[in-house]
């Protein structure tokens, strides 16, 4: 009987701990849900970008793509319409990015990647297939593949690209008094929420090319 009572008290204590942690997390999130709802994903704030391919970051900032012929994005690669029905693949390492069908794409890791969160900071992710040899694999091929996804953000004021993590994003949040209550334990979901909130306060601004 005593053992059952101990188990019961242990369960109650565990439930109380869960409740207190949830309550603390809820207070930490107070006021952030509204920012998350207003962010609304990749918003261009009524900026009319010209569809085309940007060779450089300056072309993007001045909204003046130097390549405006017909092009397509297939998987992560760009193809230009040559003559007739011929398509030529673009070397993604020699361009900055492009704008197509209302979406901004950034060139990195031998491909172009859609920006899923747009403001002063452009958030995007790259996907690479890494092959490795398993010396302990005894049957069939010992060459295996794994997909590696990396999250980045690009500062449209400096053209710098950073790994998306709390350490790299914290200096931007520190510039905004409304974001000083944000707390993170290096959770990616929390970091993305903070980036969206920052972009809500700092929209994308392009320079005039006139």
């Amino acid at each position: 009987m005593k053992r059952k009572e101990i188990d019961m008290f242990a369960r109650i204590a565990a439930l109380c701990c869960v409740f207190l942690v949830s309550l603390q997390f809820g207070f930490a999130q107070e006021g952030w849900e509204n920012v998350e709802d207003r962010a609304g994903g990749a918003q261009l704030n009524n900026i009319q970008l010209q569809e085309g391919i940007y060779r450089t970051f300056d072309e993007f900032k001045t909204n003046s793509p130097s390549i405006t012929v017909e092009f397509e994005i297939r998987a992560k690669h760009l193809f230009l319409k040559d003559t007739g029905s011929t398509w030529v693949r673009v070397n993604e390492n020699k361009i900055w990015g492009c704008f197509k069908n209302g979406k901004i794409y950034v060139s990195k890791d031998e491909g172009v990647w859609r920006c899923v969160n747009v403001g002063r900071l452009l958030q995007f992710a790259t996907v690479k297939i890494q092959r490795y040899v398993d010396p302990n694999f005894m049957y069939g091929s010992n060459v295996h593949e794994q997909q590696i996804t990396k999250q980045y953000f690009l500062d449209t004021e400096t053209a710098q690209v950073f790994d998306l993590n709390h350490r790299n994003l914290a200096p931007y949040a520190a510039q905004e008094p409304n974001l000083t209550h944000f707390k993170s334990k290096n959770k990616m979901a929390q970091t993305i929420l903070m980036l969206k909130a920052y972009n809500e306060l700092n929209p994308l601004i392009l320079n005039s090319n006139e």
Side-chain angles (χ1 to χ4, degrees):
M1 186 70 178
K2 179 180 282 188
R3 179 63 178 274
K4 290 183 178 179
E5 290 178 353
I6 292 174
D7 290 343
M8 181 182 68
F9 283 122
R11 291 177 182 176
I12 293 174
L15 288 173
C16 288
C17 288
V18 170
F19 173 77
L20 289 174
V21 170
S22 301
L23 189 62
Q24 184 179 15
F25 179 78
F27 285 139
Q29 290 298 303
E30 185 177 358
W32 282 79
E33 287 82 358
N34 292 334
V35 176
E36 160 76 1
D37 291 339
R38 291 199 307 271
Q43 298 293 329
L44 294 181
N45 299 294
N46 297 320
I47 293 176
Q48 298 298 318
L49 287 175
Q50 183 178 348
E51 191 161 290
I53 298 173
Y54 307 106
R55 292 181 184 271
T56 65
F57 173 70
D58 287 338
E59 287 186 3
F60 170 72
K61 283 293 287 183
T62 57
N63 193 17
S64 54
S66 58
I67 302 174
T68 56
V69 299
E70 185 178 357
F71 68 97
E72 289 184 353
I73 300 173
R74 304 175 187 173
K76 64 176 183 177
H77 299 301
L78 276 176
F79 291 84
L80 290 178
K81 186 70 172 293
D82 193 6
T83 56
S85 59
T86 303
W87 292 85
V88 179
R89 181 180 162 183
V90 175
N91 184 345
E92 292 88 4
N93 294 324
K94 294 186 177 181
I95 65 170
W96 180 87
C98 65
F99 182 70
K100 179 78 171 178
N101 296 329
K103 299 177 178 64
I104 298 173
Y105 294 81
V106 173
S107 173
K108 189 171 177 61
D109 294 343
E110 300 180 350
V112 289
W113 312 93
R114 181 170 63 89
C115 297
V116 297
N117 192 354
V118 174
R120 172 180 170 174
L121 307 179
L122 302 179
Q123 178 197 348
F124 64 97
T126 67
V127 178
K128 296 181 71 175
I129 302 298
Q130 185 178 69
R131 292 179 174 84
Y132 65 96
V133 176
D134 184 354
N136 299 317
F137 196 78
M138 300 181 62
Y139 302 100
S141 174
N142 64 344
V143 179
H144 302 277
E145 294 183 348
Q146 69 177 25
Q147 182 174 289
I148 299 176
T149 302
K150 291 195 67 175
Q151 296 275 353
Y152 298 97
F153 69 92
L154 183 149
D155 186 340
T156 59
E157 294 298 317
T158 66
Q160 290 180 286
V161 177
F162 302 92
D163 290 342
L164 179 55
N165 56 48
H166 179 258
R167 181 186 62 188
N168 289 336
L169 205 54
Y172 292 91
Q175 300 170 7
E176 296 294 341
N178 292 335
L179 305 185
T180 55
H181 294 93
F182 178 78
K183 303 295 182 183
S184 173
K185 296 181 180 180
N186 293 320
K187 302 284 187 180
M188 179 57 72
Q190 292 292 301
T191 303
I192 292 174
L193 176 62
M194 194 257 279
L195 186 146
K196 288 184 176 182
Y198 178 86
N199 276 346
E200 178 71 8
L201 300 170
N202 298 271
L204 173 65
I205 297 176
L206 299 182
N207 302 328
S208 173
N209 61 349
E210 298 179 357

Short mmCIF file of all heavy atoms in Angstrom, two decimals, residues 144-194:
data_model
loop_
_atom_site.label_atom_id
_atom_site.label_comp_id
_atom_site.label_asym_id
_atom_site.label_seq_id
_atom_site.Cartn_x
_atom_site.Cartn_y
_atom_site.Cartn_z
N HIS A 144 26.14 4.85 -49.20
CA HIS A 144 24.82 5.30 -48.77
C HIS A 144 24.69 6.80 -49.01
O HIS A 144 25.69 7.51 -49.20
CB HIS A 144 24.60 4.98 -47.29
CG HIS A 144 24.73 3.52 -46.96
ND1 HIS A 144 23.71 2.62 -47.11
CD2 HIS A 144 25.80 2.81 -46.51
CE1 HIS A 144 24.12 1.42 -46.75
NE2 HIS A 144 25.39 1.51 -46.38
N GLU A 145 23.47 7.27 -49.00
CA GLU A 145 23.18 8.70 -49.18
C GLU A 145 22.36 9.21 -48.01
O GLU A 145 21.52 8.49 -47.46
CB GLU A 145 22.41 8.94 -50.48
CG GLU A 145 23.17 8.63 -51.75
CD GLU A 145 22.38 8.97 -52.98
OE1 GLU A 145 21.15 9.23 -52.85
OE2 GLU A 145 22.94 8.98 -54.10
N GLN A 146 22.63 10.44 -47.65
CA GLN A 146 21.79 11.10 -46.67
C GLN A 146 21.56 12.54 -47.08
O GLN A 146 22.43 13.18 -47.67
CB GLN A 146 22.39 11.02 -45.27
CG GLN A 146 23.65 11.85 -45.06
CD GLN A 146 24.14 11.76 -43.62
OE1 GLN A 146 23.88 10.80 -42.92
NE2 GLN A 146 24.86 12.78 -43.18
N GLN A 147 20.36 13.03 -46.79
CA GLN A 147 19.98 14.39 -47.16
C GLN A 147 20.28 15.34 -46.02
O GLN A 147 19.87 15.10 -44.88
CB GLN A 147 18.48 14.42 -47.50
CG GLN A 147 17.98 15.78 -47.94
CD GLN A 147 16.54 15.73 -48.41
OE1 GLN A 147 16.22 15.18 -49.45
NE2 GLN A 147 15.65 16.30 -47.62
N ILE A 148 21.02 16.39 -46.32
CA ILE A 148 21.40 17.37 -45.30
C ILE A 148 20.75 18.71 -45.63
O ILE A 148 20.97 19.26 -46.71
CB ILE A 148 22.94 17.53 -45.24
CG1 ILE A 148 23.59 16.19 -44.88
CG2 ILE A 148 23.33 18.60 -44.23
CD1 ILE A 148 25.10 16.22 -44.89
N THR A 149 19.94 19.19 -44.72
CA THR A 149 19.27 20.49 -44.88
C THR A 149 19.91 21.50 -43.95
O THR A 149 20.10 21.24 -42.76
CB THR A 149 17.77 20.37 -44.56
OG1 THR A 149 17.18 19.39 -45.42
CG2 THR A 149 17.08 21.71 -44.76
N LYS A 150 20.24 22.68 -44.50
CA LYS A 150 20.83 23.76 -43.70
C LYS A 150 19.98 25.01 -43.85
O LYS A 150 19.56 25.36 -44.96
CB LYS A 150 22.27 24.04 -44.13
CG LYS A 150 23.25 22.93 -43.78
CD LYS A 150 24.69 23.42 -43.89
CE LYS A 150 24.99 24.47 -42.83
NZ LYS A 150 26.41 24.89 -42.83
N GLN A 151 19.73 25.68 -42.74
CA GLN A 151 18.95 26.91 -42.72
C GLN A 151 19.89 28.11 -42.66
O GLN A 151 20.88 28.12 -41.92
CB GLN A 151 18.03 26.95 -41.49
CG GLN A 151 16.96 25.87 -41.47
CD GLN A 151 15.73 26.29 -42.25
OE1 GLN A 151 15.62 27.43 -42.70
NE2 GLN A 151 14.79 25.37 -42.41
N TYR A 152 19.56 29.14 -43.47
CA TYR A 152 20.37 30.36 -43.52
C TYR A 152 19.47 31.59 -43.46
O TYR A 152 18.25 31.50 -43.68
CB TYR A 152 21.16 30.42 -44.83
CG TYR A 152 22.16 29.32 -45.06
CD1 TYR A 152 21.82 28.21 -45.83
CD2 TYR A 152 23.45 29.40 -44.54
CE1 TYR A 152 22.75 27.20 -46.07
CE2 TYR A 152 24.37 28.39 -44.78
CZ TYR A 152 24.01 27.29 -45.54
OH TYR A 152 24.92 26.29 -45.77
N PHE A 153 20.10 32.72 -43.21
CA PHE A 153 19.44 34.00 -43.46
C PHE A 153 20.45 34.97 -44.05
O PHE A 153 21.65 34.91 -43.75
CB PHE A 153 18.76 34.58 -42.21
CG PHE A 153 19.69 35.07 -41.13
CD1 PHE A 153 20.11 36.39 -41.09
CD2 PHE A 153 20.11 34.21 -40.13
CE1 PHE A 153 20.95 36.85 -40.08
CE2 PHE A 153 20.95 34.65 -39.11
CZ PHE A 153 21.37 35.98 -39.09
N LEU A 154 19.94 35.83 -44.93
CA LEU A 154 20.78 36.80 -45.64
C LEU A 154 20.36 38.20 -45.23
O LEU A 154 19.18 38.54 -45.27
CB LEU A 154 20.64 36.61 -47.15
CG LEU A 154 21.49 37.49 -48.07
CD1 LEU A 154 21.84 36.73 -49.34
CD2 LEU A 154 20.78 38.80 -48.44
N ASP A 155 21.32 39.01 -44.83
CA ASP A 155 21.07 40.40 -44.45
C ASP A 155 21.06 41.25 -45.71
O ASP A 155 22.10 41.39 -46.37
CB ASP A 155 22.15 40.87 -43.48
CG ASP A 155 21.87 42.26 -42.92
OD1 ASP A 155 21.08 43.01 -43.53
OD2 ASP A 155 22.44 42.60 -41.87
N THR A 156 19.92 41.82 -46.07
CA THR A 156 19.82 42.60 -47.31
C THR A 156 20.43 43.99 -47.19
O THR A 156 20.43 44.74 -48.16
CB THR A 156 18.35 42.74 -47.74
OG1 THR A 156 17.60 43.38 -46.71
CG2 THR A 156 17.74 41.37 -48.04
N GLU A 157 20.96 44.34 -46.03
CA GLU A 157 21.70 45.60 -45.90
C GLU A 157 23.19 45.39 -46.15
O GLU A 157 23.89 46.31 -46.56
CB GLU A 157 21.48 46.20 -44.51
CG GLU A 157 20.05 46.66 -44.24
CD GLU A 157 19.61 47.75 -45.19
OE1 GLU A 157 20.41 48.67 -45.43
OE2 GLU A 157 18.48 47.67 -45.70
N THR A 158 23.69 44.20 -45.86
CA THR A 158 25.13 43.95 -45.96
C THR A 158 25.48 42.85 -46.96
O THR A 158 26.66 42.68 -47.28
CB THR A 158 25.70 43.55 -44.60
OG1 THR A 158 25.13 42.28 -44.21
CG2 THR A 158 25.37 44.59 -43.53
N ALA A 159 24.49 42.09 -47.41
CA ALA A 159 24.67 40.94 -48.32
C ALA A 159 25.32 39.75 -47.64
O ALA A 159 25.64 38.75 -48.30
CB ALA A 159 25.48 41.33 -49.56
N GLN A 160 25.52 39.80 -46.33
CA GLN A 160 26.13 38.69 -45.62
C GLN A 160 25.12 37.57 -45.40
O GLN A 160 23.94 37.81 -45.14
CB GLN A 160 26.67 39.15 -44.26
CG GLN A 160 27.89 40.06 -44.35
CD GLN A 160 28.38 40.47 -42.98
OE1 GLN A 160 27.76 41.29 -42.29
NE2 GLN A 160 29.48 39.89 -42.55
N VAL A 161 25.62 36.34 -45.48
CA VAL A 161 24.80 35.16 -45.25
C VAL A 161 25.28 34.47 -43.98
O VAL A 161 26.49 34.27 -43.79
CB VAL A 161 24.88 34.18 -46.44
CG1 VAL A 161 24.08 32.91 -46.15
CG2 VAL A 161 24.37 34.85 -47.72
N PHE A 162 24.33 34.13 -43.10
CA PHE A 162 24.66 33.50 -41.83
C PHE A 162 23.90 32.19 -41.68
O PHE A 162 22.79 32.03 -42.20
CB PHE A 162 24.28 34.41 -40.65
CG PHE A 162 24.94 35.76 -40.66
CD1 PHE A 162 24.31 36.83 -41.27
CD2 PHE A 162 26.17 35.95 -40.04
CE1 PHE A 162 24.90 38.10 -41.27
CE2 PHE A 162 26.76 37.21 -40.04
CZ PHE A 162 26.13 38.28 -40.66
N ASP A 163 24.47 31.27 -40.92
CA ASP A 163 23.71 30.11 -40.48
C ASP A 163 22.57 30.60 -39.59
O ASP A 163 22.77 31.50 -38.76
CB ASP A 163 24.58 29.15 -39.68
CG ASP A 163 25.62 28.45 -40.53
OD1 ASP A 163 25.46 28.43 -41.77
OD2 ASP A 163 26.59 27.91 -39.96
N LEU A 164 21.39 30.02 -39.76
CA LEU A 164 20.25 30.43 -38.95
C LEU A 164 20.31 29.74 -37.61
O LEU A 164 20.02 28.55 -37.48
CB LEU A 164 18.93 30.10 -39.67
CG LEU A 164 17.65 30.47 -38.92
CD1 LEU A 164 17.64 31.94 -38.53
CD2 LEU A 164 16.42 30.12 -39.75
N ASN A 165 20.71 30.49 -36.61
CA ASN A 165 20.70 30.00 -35.23
C ASN A 165 20.56 31.19 -34.30
O ASN A 165 20.65 32.36 -34.71
CB ASN A 165 21.98 29.19 -34.92
CG ASN A 165 23.26 29.97 -35.19
OD1 ASN A 165 23.40 31.12 -34.78
ND2 ASN A 165 24.20 29.35 -35.89
N HIS A 166 20.31 30.91 -33.03
CA HIS A 166 20.04 31.97 -32.07
C HIS A 166 21.23 32.89 -31.90
O HIS A 166 21.09 34.11 -31.77
CB HIS A 166 19.64 31.36 -30.72
CG HIS A 166 19.36 32.39 -29.67
ND1 HIS A 166 20.26 32.71 -28.69
CD2 HIS A 166 18.28 33.19 -29.47
CE1 HIS A 166 19.75 33.66 -27.91
NE2 HIS A 166 18.56 33.96 -28.36
N ARG A 167 22.43 32.34 -31.91
CA ARG A 167 23.64 33.15 -31.70
C ARG A 167 23.78 34.21 -32.79
O ARG A 167 24.10 35.36 -32.50
CB ARG A 167 24.86 32.25 -31.67
CG ARG A 167 26.17 33.00 -31.43
CD ARG A 167 27.35 32.06 -31.55
NE ARG A 167 27.43 31.49 -32.89
CZ ARG A 167 28.28 30.53 -33.22
NH1 ARG A 167 29.09 30.00 -32.32
NH2 ARG A 167 28.31 30.06 -34.46
N ASN A 168 23.55 33.82 -34.05
CA ASN A 168 23.71 34.77 -35.16
C ASN A 168 22.56 35.76 -35.25
O ASN A 168 22.74 36.87 -35.76
CB ASN A 168 23.83 34.00 -36.48
CG ASN A 168 25.14 33.26 -36.61
OD1 ASN A 168 26.14 33.62 -35.97
ND2 ASN A 168 25.15 32.20 -37.40
N LEU A 169 21.39 35.36 -34.77
CA LEU A 169 20.22 36.23 -34.87
C LEU A 169 20.08 37.18 -33.68
O LEU A 169 19.45 38.23 -33.78
CB LEU A 169 18.97 35.37 -34.99
CG LEU A 169 17.75 35.97 -35.68
CD1 LEU A 169 18.10 36.50 -37.07
CD2 LEU A 169 16.63 34.94 -35.76
N ALA A 170 20.69 36.82 -32.56
CA ALA A 170 20.55 37.61 -31.33
C ALA A 170 20.95 39.08 -31.50
O ALA A 170 20.27 39.97 -30.96
CB ALA A 170 21.34 36.96 -30.20
N PRO A 171 22.04 39.42 -32.22
CA PRO A 171 22.39 40.84 -32.37
C PRO A 171 21.31 41.65 -33.06
O PRO A 171 21.15 42.84 -32.78
CB PRO A 171 23.68 40.79 -33.20
CG PRO A 171 24.26 39.45 -32.93
CD PRO A 171 23.08 38.54 -32.80
N TYR A 172 20.56 41.04 -33.97
CA TYR A 172 19.48 41.75 -34.64
C TYR A 172 18.32 41.98 -33.68
O TYR A 172 17.74 43.08 -33.63
CB TYR A 172 19.00 40.96 -35.86
CG TYR A 172 20.01 40.88 -36.97
CD1 TYR A 172 20.92 39.83 -37.04
CD2 TYR A 172 20.08 41.87 -37.94
CE1 TYR A 172 21.87 39.76 -38.04
CE2 TYR A 172 21.03 41.81 -38.96
CZ TYR A 172 21.92 40.75 -39.00
OH TYR A 172 22.86 40.70 -40.00
N ALA A 173 17.99 40.97 -32.89
CA ALA A 173 16.90 41.11 -31.92
C ALA A 173 17.23 42.17 -30.88
O ALA A 173 16.35 42.89 -30.40
CB ALA A 173 16.62 39.78 -31.25
N ALA A 174 18.52 42.28 -30.54
CA ALA A 174 18.93 43.26 -29.52
C ALA A 174 18.71 44.69 -29.98
O ALA A 174 18.64 45.61 -29.16
CB ALA A 174 20.40 43.05 -29.17
N GLN A 175 18.56 44.91 -31.30
CA GLN A 175 18.33 46.25 -31.82
C GLN A 175 16.88 46.71 -31.64
O GLN A 175 16.59 47.89 -31.80
CB GLN A 175 18.67 46.29 -33.32
CG GLN A 175 20.11 45.94 -33.64
CD GLN A 175 20.33 45.76 -35.14
OE1 GLN A 175 19.43 46.02 -35.95
NE2 GLN A 175 21.51 45.31 -35.52
N GLU A 176 16.00 45.76 -31.31
CA GLU A 176 14.58 46.06 -31.22
C GLU A 176 14.08 45.93 -29.78
O GLU A 176 14.06 44.83 -29.24
CB GLU A 176 13.78 45.11 -32.13
CG GLU A 176 14.08 45.26 -33.61
CD GLU A 176 13.64 46.61 -34.14
OE1 GLU A 176 12.81 47.28 -33.50
OE2 GLU A 176 14.13 47.00 -35.22
N PRO A 177 13.66 47.05 -29.16
CA PRO A 177 13.16 46.97 -27.78
C PRO A 177 11.98 46.01 -27.63
O PRO A 177 11.82 45.38 -26.59
CB PRO A 177 12.73 48.42 -27.49
CG PRO A 177 13.53 49.25 -28.43
CD PRO A 177 13.69 48.42 -29.67
N ASN A 178 11.15 45.89 -28.69
CA ASN A 178 9.99 45.01 -28.60
C ASN A 178 10.37 43.53 -28.58
O ASN A 178 9.51 42.68 -28.30
CB ASN A 178 9.05 45.26 -29.79
CG ASN A 178 8.40 46.62 -29.73
OD1 ASN A 178 8.25 47.19 -28.65
ND2 ASN A 178 8.02 47.15 -30.88
N LEU A 179 11.61 43.23 -28.88
CA LEU A 179 12.04 41.83 -28.91
C LEU A 179 12.92 41.45 -27.74
O LEU A 179 13.45 40.35 -27.69
CB LEU A 179 12.80 41.55 -30.22
CG LEU A 179 12.08 41.89 -31.53
CD1 LEU A 179 12.91 41.44 -32.73
CD2 LEU A 179 10.70 41.24 -31.58
N THR A 180 13.06 42.35 -26.78
CA THR A 180 13.98 42.08 -25.66
C THR A 180 13.48 40.98 -24.75
O THR A 180 14.27 40.39 -24.01
CB THR A 180 14.19 43.36 -24.82
OG1 THR A 180 12.91 43.86 -24.39
CG2 THR A 180 14.92 44.42 -25.64
N HIS A 181 12.17 40.68 -24.78
CA HIS A 181 11.64 39.65 -23.90
C HIS A 181 11.76 38.26 -24.52
O HIS A 181 11.39 37.27 -23.90
CB HIS A 181 10.17 39.91 -23.57
CG HIS A 181 9.97 41.15 -22.75
ND1 HIS A 181 9.71 42.38 -23.32
CD2 HIS A 181 10.02 41.35 -21.42
CE1 HIS A 181 9.59 43.28 -22.35
NE2 HIS A 181 9.76 42.67 -21.19
N PHE A 182 12.29 38.21 -25.73
CA PHE A 182 12.40 36.91 -26.39
C PHE A 182 13.48 36.08 -25.72
O PHE A 182 14.59 36.54 -25.49
CB PHE A 182 12.74 37.09 -27.87
CG PHE A 182 12.93 35.79 -28.60
CD1 PHE A 182 11.84 35.04 -29.00
CD2 PHE A 182 14.20 35.32 -28.86
CE1 PHE A 182 12.02 33.84 -29.67
CE2 PHE A 182 14.39 34.12 -29.53
CZ PHE A 182 13.30 33.38 -29.92
N LYS A 183 13.12 34.86 -25.40
CA LYS A 183 14.07 33.92 -24.81
C LYS A 183 14.17 32.71 -25.71
O LYS A 183 13.19 32.26 -26.29
CB LYS A 183 13.61 33.47 -23.41
CG LYS A 183 13.39 34.62 -22.43
CD LYS A 183 14.70 35.33 -22.11
CE LYS A 183 14.48 36.45 -21.10
NZ LYS A 183 15.72 37.20 -20.84
N SER A 184 15.36 32.16 -25.81
CA SER A 184 15.55 30.99 -26.67
C SER A 184 16.50 30.02 -26.00
O SER A 184 17.43 30.41 -25.31
CB SER A 184 16.09 31.39 -28.04
OG SER A 184 16.41 30.25 -28.80
N LYS A 185 16.23 28.75 -26.20
CA LYS A 185 17.13 27.69 -25.75
C LYS A 185 17.68 26.97 -26.98
O LYS A 185 17.77 25.75 -27.02
CB LYS A 185 16.40 26.73 -24.82
CG LYS A 185 15.94 27.39 -23.53
CD LYS A 185 15.23 26.38 -22.62
CE LYS A 185 14.77 27.05 -21.33
NZ LYS A 185 14.07 26.09 -20.44
N ASN A 186 18.01 27.77 -27.98
CA ASN A 186 18.55 27.25 -29.24
C ASN A 186 17.57 26.33 -29.95
O ASN A 186 17.97 25.43 -30.67
CB ASN A 186 19.88 26.54 -29.00
CG ASN A 186 20.96 27.50 -28.56
OD1 ASN A 186 21.05 28.61 -29.07
ND2 ASN A 186 21.78 27.09 -27.61
N LYS A 187 16.28 26.53 -29.74
CA LYS A 187 15.26 25.79 -30.47
C LYS A 187 15.05 26.45 -31.83
O LYS A 187 14.83 27.66 -31.90
CB LYS A 187 13.95 25.78 -29.68
CG LYS A 187 14.05 25.19 -28.28
CD LYS A 187 14.13 23.68 -28.33
CE LYS A 187 14.06 23.08 -26.93
NZ LYS A 187 14.14 21.62 -26.95
N MET A 188 15.12 25.66 -32.90
CA MET A 188 14.99 26.23 -34.23
C MET A 188 13.64 26.90 -34.42
O MET A 188 13.55 27.97 -35.03
CB MET A 188 15.20 25.15 -35.28
CG MET A 188 15.08 25.65 -36.71
SD MET A 188 16.22 27.02 -37.11
CE MET A 188 17.78 26.15 -37.18
N ALA A 189 12.57 26.30 -33.90
CA ALA A 189 11.25 26.89 -34.06
C ALA A 189 11.18 28.26 -33.41
O ALA A 189 10.59 29.20 -33.95
CB ALA A 189 10.18 25.97 -33.46
N GLN A 190 11.80 28.42 -32.25
CA GLN A 190 11.82 29.71 -31.57
C GLN A 190 12.67 30.72 -32.33
O GLN A 190 12.33 31.90 -32.41
CB GLN A 190 12.37 29.52 -30.15
CG GLN A 190 11.47 28.75 -29.23
CD GLN A 190 10.22 29.54 -28.91
OE1 GLN A 190 10.29 30.63 -28.38
NE2 GLN A 190 9.07 28.98 -29.23
N THR A 191 13.78 30.26 -32.91
CA THR A 191 14.64 31.15 -33.68
C THR A 191 13.92 31.67 -34.92
O THR A 191 14.01 32.85 -35.26
CB THR A 191 15.93 30.41 -34.09
OG1 THR A 191 16.59 29.92 -32.91
CG2 THR A 191 16.87 31.33 -34.85
N ILE A 192 13.19 30.79 -35.60
CA ILE A 192 12.43 31.21 -36.78
C ILE A 192 11.33 32.18 -36.40
O ILE A 192 11.08 33.17 -37.11
CB ILE A 192 11.84 29.98 -37.50
CG1 ILE A 192 12.98 29.15 -38.12
CG2 ILE A 192 10.85 30.40 -38.58
CD1 ILE A 192 12.53 27.84 -38.73
N LEU A 193 10.70 31.95 -35.26
CA LEU A 193 9.67 32.88 -34.78
C LEU A 193 10.25 34.26 -34.53
O LEU A 193 9.66 35.28 -34.89
CB LEU A 193 9.05 32.34 -33.49
CG LEU A 193 8.03 33.22 -32.78
CD1 LEU A 193 6.81 33.46 -33.66
CD2 LEU A 193 7.60 32.60 -31.46
N MET A 194 11.45 34.31 -33.95
CA MET A 194 12.10 35.58 -33.70
C MET A 194 12.49 36.28 -34.99
O MET A 194 12.35 37.50 -35.12
CB MET A 194 13.33 35.37 -32.81
CG MET A 194 13.88 36.65 -32.22
SD MET A 194 15.34 37.21 -33.09
CE MET A 194 16.57 36.18 -32.31
#
